[in-house]
Each structure stands twice: as structure tokens, then as C-alpha cells.
Amino acid sequence: MDKRISNRCVLGLNLSGHDSSACIVQNGAVFAISLERLNRIKHSGPITGDGFEMHHAVNYLLNLENIAIEDIDSIVINSPEQEDWLKELASKRYPTHDVALLPQPSHHIAHAYSAFFTSPFKEAVVLVADTVGSYAPNKYARECETAFLFDRRNEPKIIKRNYRTPGEISAGWLYSFITALLGFGGSQIPFSGAGKTMGLAPYGKNRDDFPDFTDYYKENKNIPAVDFKNMLDAQGLLPKPIQEKELGINFPEHVKWRVDCRLPHEPITDLHKDLAYFAQKNIEDRVLCLIKDIEDKTKIKNLCLAGGTFLNSILNKKIMDKSSFQRIYVQPAATDDGCAIGCAMWGLLEKSDNSNKKEFFGMPYLGKEYSDKVIGAFLKDLNTSFHTRFICKEISPTKEPLKKIASALADGKICGFFTGRSEFGPRALGNRSLLADPRRRDMKDRLNKVKKRESFRPFAPTILRERVLEYFDIDVDKAVYLLPFMTVVANVRGDKKDLIPAVVHVDGTSRLQAITQKENERYYQLIKEFEDITGVPMVLNTSFNCQEPIVETPFDAMKTFLENDIDYLFLDPFLIIKNNPREIELL
Ligand SMILES: [Fe+2]
């Protein structure tokens, strides 16, 4: 890498209202953390009840590699409206350090940089789509879909850009809005449960009394807000006080809308299922039109995707099946947390020449790793940290822990698996995961109960890469940069569905992760051990959490283990078993 680039140290921050995050790039190494992992508030924005908390995320990263705040030469954000807040934060928390605040990239540029500079491509089309991005220069419309051409020699070029005005809605906005209507988001971020809408969609059906917006998408137009309003009105979903308002209002207002549709604790009806289906169909129709349009504009065959829209793994399958792009990469932290990486990369390259702008690093393990010594010390203090009796004569690493875990999984146990650096982004990909046996028919219901999730939600498998084609119908060449990150679904082969019922969704698909030994050695070895016992080269993998953000520290992992119906906890290299809720021991 160019020395002028490698010697710089840049802090990127995502301070937009949800999924706040920080990323430091220094000497070619990248560290990133979402604030929610530290303050334990899902999708946390930068300012929470007790004041400024972003400095916790920054300090966490600084401590990872003993970086001093004085080493940071630039801070980049993508929310211009947050600049005053950032200056206050910097002067309050780091008063002795005078840091450069560079001009800010737009929200979509930050997404795009995060995708291209974590991809393996030398050149690529980068498509960004989300609920809402930065304001256009006219301060009226806002970014909704942007396509760029990136290569390693030149500034990125915008080849397509759609803005949404307050009288219009985009397909991404429609998806978020229906998610809020269905009561899937929290009270703070009503659209944050988009994954639940995706999970519910296959249970729904197409309805003649819902409008068809395909023509707008084909003509590259947004949907007139009034069309969507009329649809909701016809279904009795529009509360009267809101009828007078146009649909371009801000989200906090929309929390009210759920009252007439569904509250989180209420049952799911056929109408809810059909609304989810409608949202899914619309996002697929719109994005496929966009992709077709982009394909006509370029000969480049690599596609990068970022923005919350592309956490939709069913949509990503459609893109894979129907587009002519030969290689597709979805930035695993595709929603706004990923913008911190984009900001850091943008800042790193802003002051450098254009000669060597390509740097690839392996997503998604960008967080902190805890040494054996630190975890051992944590276990030593356990009896004082938790009201639990910890039975062990001495604290020493477990012998052959992976064999023991594999055997426990095969025996129907649920195991918290904590190893290596934490993942950045919404998916647990083997380092902060809850694991179980995919062969057990009752495991989906059991785990949904443990995690207090809706019963319709599916679980995903992690499979050894070399065995993917035996179990799934997927173009592994095209999906090679999707498979490690659980960003695409695939059809489970007919003869395998009964073998792994806990990870097959109602539509016959799985949102699979497939790994090589190089990508995650510890996790790969565990699956190998499980295969030795069962003949099945995969485990069920879900995030290590129960309603909270994914565990980040050994403390979070232990707390989640003790408070929930989880049988084993692996704090690498120590394997812990629960004899009863008040008594645990080291194996
Ligand atoms: Fe975004």
C-alpha cells in the first residue's frame, strides 16, 4: 500500500440517528464497533438518555491497538447536521487534541466507499439503496438510490442518482414504512425490524386490491405518496388524524400509525402477511429495474451493494439469479453502521493521490479479541460478578473443547460460542454465535423461545464451503463473496430438507453462511468435528443474544448464558456448563 496512505490514522463515525458506529483505519488495519454493542441499546443512535456516549466506542477502538487519540489526524462523518455536536464531543472528551474535521461525504458516498473498499474488486459498480440518505443540494429532496463506478485509479463516478421529494416514496421507504406498520421495530426506530418483514413475506400472497407500482419502477420514477396513502386508506390502515398529512413526514410521527395496524404483542393476521409480501415484492421489482438500467450503462461485471436495502438476503438472491453481473459482494454491515468504515476510507483517501486507492481487508471480524489470560482472570472473579456458584478447582483451558461442543450440539444442546475478534455488522458469523443442531425439528421453536422471537422467524446454517453444493442450489462462483457473510439465501435441495429442518424456511430456502478454513479456522474446525459425529457438515448459527444487541464482551456472554436457557458457554479456550441456573462449572 502507498506509504502516504498507510501512515495516516483516520476515525470514521456514523452519527445518523440509528446504528451509530466508529471505525479507525491505521497502517492498513481496520477496527470498527457499533455503539449498541457497548451501551447494550439496540440500533443505538449517538445520543442516548444519559448523554454523549460515542466516546465509549472511540475509546474502545483506541484501546484495541494502543492507539492514542493524538495519532488520529482526521475525523470524518456523513451527517453534516451533526457537525456541531461532533465538535462539542471532541472538545469535551479530547480537549488537548486538535483534529481535522474534513468536508463530509454524503450518506450514500459513505455507504459506497464502505462497499468498494472492503470488496476484493479492482473495479466495480456500486449500488446504494436505503430508506433515506443525505439531502440534495436543493435541501428539499433526499438520496434514495445511487449507483457509482469505482476503480482503483480514479475518483468514483456517479452513473445514476435518484432523489425522493416529500410528495414521493421510494421502494426502500415503502419497505421501512410497512415494517413500522407491522409493529416490528422498536419504539425508537420503528423501521428497524426489516428482517422480520422479510421473514414474514413468504407466508403472504399477492392481492388484487393492492396497487401495482411496477410501471413507476420501470420508468425510473418514485411512487406518488398519494397512491400509497390510498392503498392504506382502502385497508382501513390510515388513522384519521394522519389522513390530512402527506407521507413525506419524518419517522417518529409514524409510530402512531402502528396503532391501527399491529402492536408488537398482537397476533399476526393474513393482512399482515400480505403486507409483508407486498413490501418484499416492491423492493425486488424496484431493485431489479435499477440493476437492469445499470447493466445497460456499463460493461463492468463486478457489483457491490450497500445500504440497508441489501441486508435483504431474498432480494440479493433475486439479483444473483437475474442480473448479468458475474461477481456480487454485499457489504456485510450494509446498514448505516457500515458508513463509519466508508467515512474512514473516504478520509484516508481524501488527502492522498489517486495512484493506489485499493485496499482489501477481511470483513467482518473488526472488533476486539480477548486473550486467554483476560478471560481466565474474568472467570476467576466470576463469583463476585454474578450471584452464581462457580465450581472449579483451578481455571485452566478445556481439553479438546471443540470436540466436546460438537458432541453437546449433536446431543441437542444449545451452545454460546465466543472466540476471536467480534463481528462488525448485524450478523453473528461464528465468533459471537449461538449454535445448535440443524437436524432437530423442534430446534427452531425452542430457539425462538429462548431468544424471545416471533415464532415464524427462521434460523440460518453455517456449512463447510466445500460441501455447499450437496445441500444448496446456488451458483457458488457468483456468490463467492456473499457466502462468508450470510447475505444471500439459497434453495435447499429437495433430498436434504428433511435432514436439516431447523434451518429450512417455509419457502424452502436458507440464509446460509459457508466458510473456508482460512476465513475462520476455529469455527471451521468445530463444524468439522460436528460432521465427524453426525455426517452433517453444518451447524445452526444465530446471533448470541436474547433481545439485546449481540454480546461483545465475556461479561455480556456470561450474563446472556446465565439468564437464558443456554446449556453451554464457550469462552475460548474455556468451556462452561450450567448444572442449574445457580451453579456452573468448567469442563
Ligand atoms: Fe443508509
Side-chain angles (χ1 to χ4, degrees):
M1 189 165 66
D2 187 321
K3 261 215 148 32
R4 284 159 300 183
I5 294 178
S6 66
N7 288 339
R8 296 197 47 229
C9 182
V10 182
L11 168 65
L13 295 173
N14 170 48
L15 302 176
S16 51
H18 59 96
D19 295 293
S20 287
S21 56
C23 172
I24 289 178
V25 184
Q26 188 197 39
N27 296 330
V30 180
F31 315 97
I33 186 84
S34 295
L35 185 59
E36 69 161 25
R37 300 289 182 100
L38 303 176
N39 68 10
R40 313 304 298 155
I41 300 170
K42 264 194 169 183
H43 304 290
S44 174
I47 302 173
T48 50
D50 51 351
F52 302 140
E53 295 202 20
M54 260 332 269
H55 68 281
H56 287 308
V58 176
N59 291 347
Y60 189 84
L61 296 181
L62 292 174
N63 291 337
L64 276 185
E65 291 289 308
N66 290 326
I67 300 168
I69 187 73
E70 287 75 19
D71 295 335
I72 291 177
D73 56 68
S74 314
I75 300 180
V76 181
I77 61 175
N78 69 100
S79 314
E81 65 276 12
Q82 304 261 15
E83 189 171 327
D84 289 345
W85 178 85
L86 178 63
K87 281 180 184 158
E88 193 184 335
L89 171 69
S91 65
K92 197 169 168 182
R93 297 291 173 187
Y94 312 109
T96 58
H97 182 43
D98 192 14
V99 70
L101 288 172
L102 297 180
Q104 298 117 12
S106 82
H107 184 67
H108 277 200
I109 289 176
H111 271 309
Y113 269 70
S114 81
F116 182 66
F117 288 102
T118 60
S119 81
F121 304 133
K122 290 181 178 164
E123 59 175 13
V125 172
V126 181
L127 176 62
V128 176
D130 57 9
T131 306
V132 69
S134 296
Y135 279 98
N138 65 14
K139 306 278 182 209
Y140 180 64
R142 297 185 76 166
E143 293 171 321
C144 58
E145 296 144 353
T146 315
F148 304 81
L149 284 184
F150 271 77
D151 69 52
R152 61 193 300 177
R153 292 173 302 280
N154 303 296
E155 291 296 313
K157 232 175 31 197
I158 292 174
I159 54 172
K160 191 171 185 63
R161 184 169 231 174
N162 293 333
Y163 289 106
R164 178 179 73 80
T165 64
E168 301 170 332
I169 58 172
S170 62
W173 196 94
L174 182 147
Y175 205 98
S176 297
F177 195 91
I178 286 180
T179 296
L181 276 173
L182 292 173
F184 287 156
S187 58
Q188 298 297 314
I189 316 287
F191 55 87
S192 61
K196 299 181 191 178
T197 306
M198 182 181 76
L200 186 61
Y203 292 92
K205 61 182 183 318
N206 205 15
R207 284 173 51 150
D208 294 340
D209 57 337
F210 286 0
D212 183 354
F213 294 142
T214 321
D215 285 345
Y216 292 123
Y217 301 146
K218 280 185 188 156
E219 290 167 23
N220 200 30
K221 289 178 181 164
N222 290 318
I223 306 156
V226 69
D227 285 17
F228 186 48
K229 182 180 159 193
N230 289 340
M231 166 194 162
L232 297 173
D233 214 358
Q235 300 298 327
L237 296 174
L238 212 51
K240 282 212 162 35
I242 309 292
Q243 278 187 21
E244 294 150 23
K245 298 192 176 191
E246 284 304 317
L247 291 177
I249 50 180
N250 290 328
F251 259 106
E253 289 286 323
H254 297 159
V255 176
K256 298 175 197 165
W257 288 53
R258 290 181 298 163
V259 172
D260 273 21
C261 191
R262 178 181 173 267
L263 289 170
H265 62 274
E266 288 175 346
I268 289 169
T269 65
D270 285 347
L271 174 63
H272 300 141
K273 293 172 189 170
D274 297 344
L275 278 169
Y277 180 96
F278 178 75
Q280 185 66 28
K281 179 183 179 306
N282 270 267
I283 198 69
E284 289 172 10
D285 287 351
R286 173 58 188 144
V287 171
L288 289 175
C289 283
L290 262 174
I291 301 257
K292 172 87 187 63
D293 197 33
I294 295 165
E295 281 170 344
D296 293 344
K297 286 184 163 65
T298 175
K299 290 189 169 55
I300 292 176
K301 291 297 172 198
N302 302 319
L303 177 66
C304 294
L305 301 164
T309 294
F310 298 108
L311 283 184
N312 193 313
S313 48
I314 299 174
L315 166 67
N316 296 341
K317 178 183 188 302
K318 295 271 162 68
I319 295 170
M320 220 182 67
D321 289 346
K322 298 198 172 172
S323 86
S324 63
F325 286 100
Q326 287 167 357
R327 294 270 198 280
I328 300 168
Y329 168 72
V330 178
Q331 208 273 82
T335 186
D336 287 4
D337 48 358
C339 287
I341 296 180
C343 285
M345 295 308 294
W346 187 88
L348 189 72
L349 302 171
E350 173 72 6
K351 287 186 177 173
S352 311
D353 68 22
N354 291 339
S355 61
N356 190 359
K357 284 198 168 183
K358 186 71 191 78
E359 176 63 6
F360 174 64
F361 57 88
M363 289 287 278
Y365 309 105
L366 307 181
K368 185 168 178 173
E369 178 167 12
Y370 291 82
S371 67
D372 300 3
K373 206 172 142 194
V374 167
I375 294 181
F378 166 75
L379 291 176
K380 218 169 171 187
D381 282 345
L382 202 61
N383 287 336
T384 51
S385 313
F386 296 90
H387 299 293
T388 299
R389 215 157 78 89
F390 183 36
I391 310 170
C392 68
K393 292 188 190 80
E394 61 176 285
I395 292 173
S396 54
T398 304
K399 289 194 183 82
E400 300 195 309
L402 301 184
K403 249 190 194 7
K404 288 176 180 154
I405 296 167
S407 162
L409 294 176
D411 212 22
K413 306 292 189 211
I414 296 171
C415 180
F417 196 75
F418 184 107
T419 184
R421 293 178 70 176
S422 61
E423 302 91 338
F424 183 62
R427 306 272 169 263
L429 295 168
N431 284 8
R432 300 289 186 275
S433 289
L434 271 185
L435 306 179
D437 186 344
R439 301 170 305 158
R440 290 178 180 262
R441 205 162 281 282
D442 63 343
M443 192 51 84
K444 183 183 142 195
D445 288 343
R446 194 178 149 206
L447 265 174
N448 269 329
K449 267 193 200 121
V450 170
K451 297 192 74 174
K452 301 171 188 74
R453 306 194 326 171
E454 295 82 355
S455 60
F456 65 84
R457 294 177 66 188
F459 287 98
T462 305
I463 184 169
L464 303 177
R465 175 76 61 86
E466 61 273 22
R467 304 287 297 277
V468 166
L469 285 174
E470 280 174 49
Y471 285 80
F472 301 99
D473 180 10
I474 189 167
D475 180 340
V476 286
D477 283 339
K478 210 167 181 176
V480 66
Y481 302 122
L482 302 172
L483 289 172
F485 308 118
M486 221 181 252
T487 45
V488 71
V489 301
N491 292 322
V492 181
R493 294 201 185 277
D495 60 331
K496 299 293 185 196
K497 282 181 186 161
D498 279 345
L499 192 58
I500 49 169
V503 292
V504 184
H505 198 24
V506 64
D507 58 358
T509 65
S510 284
R511 187 184 64 197
L512 75 162
Q513 178 191 16
I515 55 166
T516 61
Q517 187 158 8
K518 200 172 152 206
E519 282 160 356
N520 190 332
E521 181 154 6
R522 202 73 163 144
Y523 191 29
Y524 181 94
Q525 286 303 342
L526 172 75
I527 302 172
K528 268 271 187 211
E529 296 284 359
F530 185 77
E531 182 198 17
D532 282 351
I533 299 168
T534 64
V536 173
M538 75 173 77
V539 294
L540 181 156
N541 173 15
T542 183
S543 50
F544 192 169
N545 63 344
C546 295
Q547 294 298 302
E548 286 192 324
I550 298 174
V551 302
E552 175 65 27
T553 64
F555 179 91
D556 301 335
M558 182 59 73
K559 185 170 180 290
T560 305
F561 170 63
L562 291 175
E563 290 176 354
N564 298 283
D565 190 13
I566 299 166
D567 304 300
Y568 283 67
L569 171 63
F570 182 50
L571 287 177
D572 197 357
F574 305 95
L575 181 59
I576 298 151
I577 185 172
K578 202 188 299 177
N579 294 328
N580 62 57
R582 291 268 162 262
E583 187 179 285
I584 58 174
E585 69 176 303
L586 206 57
L587 282 181

